[in-house]
Amino acid sequence: MYPKYDFAGQVALITGAASGMGRVTAKAFALAGAAVILVDRDELALQKVAAEIVDAGGKAVTVAGDVADEGVAKTAVTRAVSTFGRLDMAYNNAGVLGPMCPMMEETGEGYDAVNAVNLRGVWTFMKHELIQMKKQGSGAIVNCSSLGGLVGLPGRAAYHATKHGVIGLTKSAALDVAADGIRVNAICPGCIDTPMGDGIEPEAMKNFLKEQPIGRAGRPEEIASAVLWLCSAAASFVLGVALPVDGGFTAH
């Protein structure tokens, strides 16, 4: 289902690569010829994804760790450069949903845990990706926000706050490096059929999908297609955007 992109000789870094949208997008980059750096805290699942890519003829290395740890981000970028010589693209995808409850019932610990992955994790990786890309004078980054970065929904204050923050980070960083040959954008997925969605109660999911005019959950491959396009030369004049990939949810 992917358009034909030629990323041969290029290197892509993907966080949250062990499952869901990250896993599918990493495979899509590899299928298009890119070498991939896979990052996730689930080391066993990460190794499985890497093996699948290598068995299919691709190139993949893994870095296991917490995306909120700046040392992990620095290690991942360093690994990309030491192994493949450069870093051309990044999809900062790692995210967690966190507990769903009224804001008054959220805890500071819960808020900090969601923020650490969803917002600090994007900031940490983007910082080190941009340091390398600025040296090269080229690069493209896609950060994963959410339709929750564009609207508010009850019971998800911490999650939505972090996803709004990702859009702010994206726009500011895009302006920081626009003149350096680097493009930074964000995608805002709607309800996608991934393991993260398994944490949502069936009735809540049913009601949510009623608000997604296309009438179904999205597929991870549809997110991967948007990420690859934003990283490709086809999107060379696109930067600082928060692109909804949501089946029409935010159109009404």
Side-chain angles (χ1 to χ4, degrees):
M1 70 171 291
Y2 304 111
K4 297 293 184 181
Y5 297 112
D6 182 6
F7 291 142
Q10 297 187 56
V11 182
L13 187 157
I14 303 95
T15 69
S19 65
M21 297 184 300
R23 175 180 178 271
V24 171
T25 304
K27 288 189 165 188
F29 272 123
L31 184 64
V36 293
I37 308 296
L38 310 177
V39 182
D40 202 286
R41 59 188 176 189
D42 187 338
E43 186 169 7
L44 290 177
L46 198 62
Q47 292 292 347
K48 183 178 179 181
V49 176
E52 291 169 350
I53 290 172
V54 171
D55 289 346
K59 299 177 181 178
V61 297
T62 64
V63 175
D66 186 344
V67 294
D69 183 343
E70 192 166 352
V72 173
K74 187 173 182 179
T75 295
V77 173
T78 298
R79 187 83 180 275
V81 176
S82 64
T83 306
F84 301 116
R86 56 189 300 107
L87 177 63
D88 301 285
M89 303 168 288
Y91 176 37
N92 297 317
N93 161 75
V96 294
L97 186 60
M100 296 176 60
C101 62
M103 182 181 176
M104 304 79 73
E105 298 174 15
E106 290 182 345
T107 65
E109 293 79 8
Y111 175 85
D112 288 344
V114 173
N115 187 75
V117 176
N118 292 2
L119 188 55
R120 179 181 170 86
V122 172
W123 174 85
T124 298
F125 268 78
M126 186 163 57
K127 171 184 173 179
H128 288 278
E129 291 155 1
L130 288 175
I131 289 172
Q132 174 59 31
M133 289 176 177
K134 192 162 183 176
K135 292 177 184 176
Q136 297 171 185
S138 64
I141 293 174
V142 178
N143 296 321
C144 194
S145 179
S146 165
L147 67 84
L150 300 170
V151 302
L153 291 172
R156 303 180 188 178
Y159 179 79
H160 283 230
T162 61
K163 292 302 186 177
H164 274 72
V166 168
I167 293 176
L169 278 178
T170 297
K171 291 183 176 182
S172 185
L175 298 179
D176 280 339
V177 297
D180 296 312
I182 305 166
R183 295 182 300 104
V184 183
N185 292 290
I187 58 167
C188 300
C191 182
I192 309 299
D193 185 12
T194 68
M196 181 181 284
D198 294 341
I200 301 175
E201 294 181 0
E203 190 62 27
M205 178 65 77
K206 182 179 179 180
N207 291 332
F208 188 91
L209 288 175
K210 289 179 181 178
E211 298 298 318
Q212 205 152 273
I214 201 169
R216 62 171 175 83
R219 297 184 294 273
E221 291 82 4
E222 292 173 310
I223 301 303
S225 291
V227 174
L228 266 64
W229 174 71
L230 284 170
C231 286
S232 76
S236 58
F237 203 56
V238 180
L239 69 158
V241 306
L243 175 68
V245 190
D246 65 356
F249 187 100
T250 55
H252 67 84

